[in-house]
Amino acid sequence: MKRKINQYLLCIAGMTILITLLSLIAVFYGIFQRQVMGDLRTFCYLLKASVQREGEIPQGDSNLEEIRITWMDADGTVLADSNADVDEMDNHLDRTEIAQAIREGEGTAIRRSDTMSRDTFYYAILMEDGSVLRAARETDSIWSIFQTAFPAIFLVVAGMAAVSVFVSHAVTRHLVKPIEEMAKHLGSNTVEPVYKELAPFVNTIRQQHEDILRSAHIRQEFTANVSHELKTPLTVISGYSELIQSGIASGEDAVRFAGEIHKNASRLLTLINDIIRLSQLDSDDREMAKEAVDLYQTARGIVDLLKVNAEKQEIAMTLGGSPQTVAGDRRMLEELIYNLCDNAIRYNKRGGTVAVTVGHTAEGPFLSIKDTGIGIPPEHQQRVFERFYRVDKGRSKSTGGTGLGLAIVKHIVTWHGAELKLESEEGKGTEIVIRFPG
């Protein structure tokens, strides 16, 4: 960044010096031209009075060595010239300054000699008898002047370039220093950006930085939890199978050990399936097509599926409400209702109830699952949708929960653009209400 800013500043400085230099040369040469032409004009008017009085042009005057005087008749024939033999000179009627003088009374011209790198200034004035008097003076061309002044110009440009390099480095450091300071203290909200224009950018970077740290922490915690959750059933399976293999367990013990192996294998399979499903929901950001799903009929299918399991635990399941159509994914909604109802059964009390209600309010369709279970303490209610988070770890393990069901629910609710509300009182039960877009 420093290098680019430095390069840009130096390029701007270089272009500025070059443009300024060329502009000054052009301006000064323009002033020089006007000065020379003004001197020739004054000289011609003074010369006109002298020629009219003397009847000839001055000759051999040392003050006139730099000025050539030519006197021409009205038809362009050269009558006299201070520097050349008139017999060898061509007719001058076609010269720009002569034609202009005959037409307007005064005429000017500048002709350049590329071979001599010199400019000749001409000023012509019309005499009272119709003849034309012309004064000419040779000067160096603009490039000759530039070449003559090149050493001085080079020193000036070199000095300006040196100053530009110094100023460029100083300005670059001054501009970049606040940004470098912000980079060093990116994680600190106490250091505010010096430039107002950087505030939105810095806030975005800080938010992304916090999100990255949070995601890294979640991944680390998730990896640790997965390892622990997988290790427990695998340890049980390995231990019981080793006992059976060694012949220590036989008869009823072998049957009991095999049952434990089967139970932990099922738990392990459920856990792996939930992890895979959660991973799919995390990575699947495609815009899947939504269909019209009858929320009531979907809930009826899940209630019928889980009624047998609920009855085994002496829990009554009921379904109420009316048919409501929502736009969504049928498989996801089935998974959502299943996980919520399964949790309501798993963390309920003997003789308790699970009430599933589908209805409609002014805000749109809603789904409610209410149980009379153990409830969730207030300090845990904000975290129960985190992966592997359990309020009562001992009860979760005994009931076979993986700790991922509510995390999957949260993903599905977000995907549908719905809102989830949890109300719970410890020892009395929990109600989860999901409101879908109307």
Side-chain angles (χ1 to χ4, degrees):
M1 183 177 179
K2 279 185 176 180
R3 180 180 295 178
K4 285 187 176 181
I5 294 176
N6 219 0
Q7 289 174 349
Y8 290 147
L9 291 176
L10 288 176
C11 286
I12 293 171
M15 291 176 62
T16 303
I17 292 171
L18 181 61
I19 292 171
T20 303
L21 180 63
L22 295 176
S23 299
L24 287 175
I25 291 173
V27 169
F28 287 138
Y29 192 70
I31 295 172
F32 173 73
Q33 285 182 333
R34 289 194 295 272
Q35 181 67 40
V36 171
M37 201 63 75
D39 291 344
L40 287 176
R41 183 177 184 275
T42 303
F43 178 80
C44 277
Y45 274 97
L46 294 173
L47 185 62
K48 177 181 178 182
S50 175
V51 171
Q52 286 178 344
R53 183 176 62 252
E54 302 292 337
E56 61 180 3
I57 62 174
Q59 298 287 340
D61 190 341
S62 60
N63 295 326
L64 303 178
E65 290 181 357
E66 294 183 358
I67 300 177
R68 179 181 178 182
I69 304 169
T70 307
W71 188 14
M72 289 144 287
D73 202 353
D75 60 0
T77 303
V78 178
L79 301 175
D81 190 275
S82 61
N83 289 11
D85 186 357
V86 296
D87 294 333
E88 297 178 0
M89 299 181 68
D90 298 331
N91 189 287
H92 281 41
L93 189 61
D94 60 343
R95 304 298 171 89
T96 304
E97 69 278 7
I98 304 301
Q100 186 180 4
I102 293 173
R103 186 174 63 254
E104 301 176 7
E106 294 179 0
T108 60
I110 301 174
R111 283 191 281 276
R112 179 166 300 164
S113 173
D114 293 330
T115 56
M116 301 295 292
S117 296
R118 294 178 69 82
D119 292 339
T120 304
F121 291 75
Y122 296 94
Y123 193 92
I125 187 170
L126 184 65
M127 304 287 283
E128 292 178 358
D129 59 0
S131 61
V132 177
L133 193 64
R134 184 185 71 177
R137 180 180 178 181
E138 283 189 352
T139 65
D140 290 332
S141 67
I142 185 172
W143 301 116
S144 298
I145 295 173
F146 178 78
Q147 289 173 2
T148 304
F150 180 77
I153 293 173
F154 176 78
L155 291 176
V156 172
V157 171
M160 294 176 68
V163 172
S164 298
V165 170
F166 175 77
V167 172
S168 173
H169 282 289
V171 170
T172 301
R173 286 196 301 269
H174 180 72
L175 289 174
V176 175
K177 186 176 180 180
I179 300 175
E180 291 177 338
E181 289 297 320
M182 286 299 305
K184 291 179 182 178
H185 304 90
L186 191 61
S188 174
N189 292 327
T190 58
V191 180
E192 295 297 328
V194 175
Y195 307 119
K196 295 180 180 179
E197 295 80 5
L198 286 178
F201 174 75
V202 170
N203 292 335
T204 301
I205 293 296
R206 280 176 172 170
Q207 185 62 46
Q208 291 177 348
H209 181 67
E210 292 175 1
D211 292 342
I212 290 171
L213 293 178
R214 190 181 302 110
S215 297
H217 176 71
I218 291 174
R219 283 197 299 271
Q220 184 178 9
E221 188 177 350
F222 179 75
T223 302
N225 287 330
V226 168
S227 301
H228 177 73
E229 293 295 334
L230 291 176
K231 182 180 178 180
T232 302
L234 283 173
T235 301
V236 174
I237 291 171
S238 177
Y240 283 127
S241 61
E242 186 177 355
L243 290 174
I244 294 174
Q245 183 184 26
S246 63
I248 296 176
S250 60
E252 293 182 1
D253 288 338
V255 173
R256 182 168 61 85
F257 290 171
E260 289 294 329
I261 291 173
H262 181 267
K263 184 176 74 173
N264 281 276
S266 298
R267 180 185 172 192
L268 187 61
L269 183 61
T270 301
L271 178 62
I272 292 172
N273 287 335
D274 282 350
I275 293 172
I276 292 172
R277 181 59 180 147
L278 195 57
S279 177
Q280 290 173 342
L281 291 172
D282 275 338
S283 61
D284 194 0
D285 56 357
R286 297 171 297 140
E287 281 293 331
M288 294 187 294
K290 294 181 180 180
E291 59 178 318
V293 181
D294 188 333
L295 200 59
Y296 185 84
Q297 290 300 325
T298 305
R300 178 187 291 278
I302 300 301
V303 170
D304 291 341
L305 180 66
L306 292 174
K307 260 189 177 180
V308 176
N309 185 36
E311 289 172 357
K312 287 181 182 179
Q313 301 184 46
E314 301 177 6
I315 295 170
M317 288 193 73
T318 60
L319 174 65
S322 59
Q324 299 294 331
T325 301
V326 297
D329 182 86
R330 185 181 301 277
R331 180 168 171 267
M332 283 188 179
L333 291 173
E334 288 176 349
E335 192 172 6
L336 171 91
I337 299 172
Y338 182 91
N339 283 338
L340 289 176
C341 290
D342 184 58
N343 267 15
I345 295 170
R346 194 185 303 275
Y347 299 102
N348 215 317
K349 303 172 183 176
R350 291 282 178 178
T353 61
V354 175
V356 181
T357 306
V358 177
H360 192 282
T361 64
E363 299 175 355
F366 73 89
L367 168 70
S368 169
I369 290 91
K370 185 175 183 180
D371 64 62
T372 57
I374 60 175
I376 304 172
E379 65 272 17
H380 296 288
Q381 291 180 13
Q382 296 297 322
R383 301 194 60 191
V384 291
F385 294 96
E386 296 177 10
R387 302 171 189 189
F388 292 113
Y389 187 83
R390 294 186 177 94
V391 177
D392 186 346
K393 293 181 173 59
R395 183 180 177 91
S396 297
K397 291 182 183 292
S398 65
T399 57
T402 64
L404 295 175
L406 290 181
I408 293 173
V409 166
K410 182 181 178 181
H411 272 277
I412 296 174
V413 168
T414 303
W415 189 88
H416 283 83
E419 293 182 0
L420 186 148
K421 182 180 179 182
L422 183 147
E423 291 184 0
S424 182
E425 187 175 350
E426 192 173 4
K428 293 187 178 181
T430 302
E431 181 180 15
I432 294 178
V433 180
I434 301 171
R435 300 190 182 277
F436 294 86

